[in-house]
């Protein structure tokens, strides 16, 4: 009777562990869910890529050109940039992320993300005016939306996913459901062709 009871207990434990693992996996893979206004790329994509990026990160900015070129050449990528800030270590970065998601409310997420990745921006009054003029943003609405709870939640969600996936450093890419690529320094920046090879490798993981 004792062994029968033990075997039942072990079975229940295995079921519990299985359910917990499934729930954890389900939570982790919510990283691929994003509102349409915060998604870039092809409507008929066959590969989804999530990138965690820090606007002040030199490697993130260096990688932007070859990655974007490879994505355009491939033509079948659904791309979800998830900018993080970690304000304590990177003062001023939260403001840039809030601005990006506030701009999404005006249909300008991609343009704003690209602007921050390719320009050194000082967010004083002149900087805001230049950015709004360049991207065609309503500046009053932009600043109001930056204070909204859903915009602040977007940054918190990005940082939560970054920690749950234990990625440790940016830039980091989740490609499809099984490929993770981390770039740790500017010495490791892939070329456009190397990125295309990474896309194909990610597609081949089943």
């Amino acid at each position: 009777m004792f062994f029968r009871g033990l075997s039942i207990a072990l079975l229940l434990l295995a079921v519990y562990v299985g359910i917990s693992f499934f729930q954890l996996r389900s939570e982790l893979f919510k990283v691929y869910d994003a509102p349409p206004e915060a998604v870039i790329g092809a409507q008929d994509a066959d590969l989804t890529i999530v990138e965690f990026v820090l606007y002040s990160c030199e490697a993130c900015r260096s990688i932007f050109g070859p990655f974007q070129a490879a994505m355009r050449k491939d033509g079948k990528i659904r791309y979800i940039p998830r900018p993080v800030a970690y304000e304590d270590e990177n003062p001023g970065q939260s403001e840039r992320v809030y601005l990006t998601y506030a701009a999404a409310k005006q249909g300008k997420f991609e343009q704003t993300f690209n602007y921050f990745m390719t320009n050194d921006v000082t967010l004083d009054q002149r900087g805001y005016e230049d950015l709004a003029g360049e991207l065609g943003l309503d500046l009053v609405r932009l600043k109001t939306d930056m204070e909204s709870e859903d915009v602040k939640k977007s940054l918190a969600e990005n940082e939560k996913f970054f920690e749950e996936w234990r990625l440790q450093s940016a830039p980091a890419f989740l490609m499809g459901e099984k490929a993770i690529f981390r770039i740790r320094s500017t010495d490791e920046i892939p070329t456009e062709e190397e990125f295309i090879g990474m896309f194909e490798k990610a597609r081949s993981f089943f």
Side-chain angles (χ1 to χ4, degrees):
M1 179 66 72
F2 171 78
F3 289 107
R4 183 171 182 272
L6 179 60
S7 64
I8 292 172
L10 290 173
L11 175 61
L12 290 174
L13 177 62
V15 170
Y16 173 77
V17 170
I19 291 172
S20 298
F21 176 78
F22 178 78
Q23 290 174 336
L24 175 61
R25 181 180 170 85
S26 297
E27 288 299 312
L28 284 175
F29 278 85
K30 287 181 180 178
V31 73
Y32 289 99
D33 299 333
E37 62 271 17
V39 177
I40 299 168
Q43 296 295 316
D44 59 344
D46 62 6
L47 177 65
T48 296
I49 296 176
V50 173
E51 181 188 9
F52 290 92
V53 60
L54 180 66
Y55 286 135
S56 62
C57 159
E58 184 179 353
C60 298
R61 293 165 67 88
S62 297
I63 214 169
F64 180 77
F67 174 74
Q68 291 287 319
M71 189 170 72
R72 288 191 297 270
K73 186 172 183 179
D74 181 282
K76 292 283 189 175
I77 303 293
R78 175 177 177 261
Y79 174 49
I80 304 173
R82 287 191 175 272
V84 296
Y86 292 100
E87 184 70 20
D88 290 344
E89 296 86 11
N90 305 285
Q93 294 306 302
S94 293
E95 184 178 8
R96 287 160 168 73
V97 179
Y98 293 152
L99 196 159
T100 304
Y101 284 100
K105 294 176 177 288
Q106 299 184 45
K108 300 287 185 176
F109 177 87
E110 179 177 2
Q111 294 89 332
T112 306
F113 175 75
N114 292 350
Y115 189 87
F116 280 127
M117 293 301 290
T118 55
N119 293 277
D120 292 319
V121 182
T122 300
L123 287 180
D124 54 14
Q125 183 61 28
R126 176 66 180 273
Y128 270 100
E129 290 172 356
D130 288 347
L131 184 150
E134 179 78 19
L135 302 181
L137 290 164
D138 180 323
L139 186 53
V140 173
R141 180 183 171 190
L142 181 72
K143 289 189 172 183
T144 299
D145 287 338
M146 285 175 67
E147 299 299 320
S148 66
E149 286 305 312
D150 58 331
V151 162
K152 293 181 178 180
K153 181 180 176 183
S154 295
L155 172 56
E157 182 179 70
N158 291 352
E159 293 184 349
K160 171 175 159 290
F161 280 129
F162 184 81
E163 291 165 9
E164 288 177 344
W165 279 87
R166 300 180 181 180
L167 295 170
Q168 299 180 336
S169 63
F173 295 88
L174 306 177
M175 297 190 181
E177 294 190 356
K178 297 186 179 179
I180 298 175
F181 294 100
R182 299 183 184 91
I183 314 301
R184 295 178 177 84
S185 75
T186 53
D187 296 329
E188 300 178 359
I189 303 300
T191 64
E192 176 184 338
E193 291 304 316
E194 286 171 336
F195 264 121
I196 289 172
M198 291 161 70
F199 300 162
E200 291 309 309
K201 186 174 183 181
R203 288 185 173 102
S204 69
F205 287 161
F206 292 104

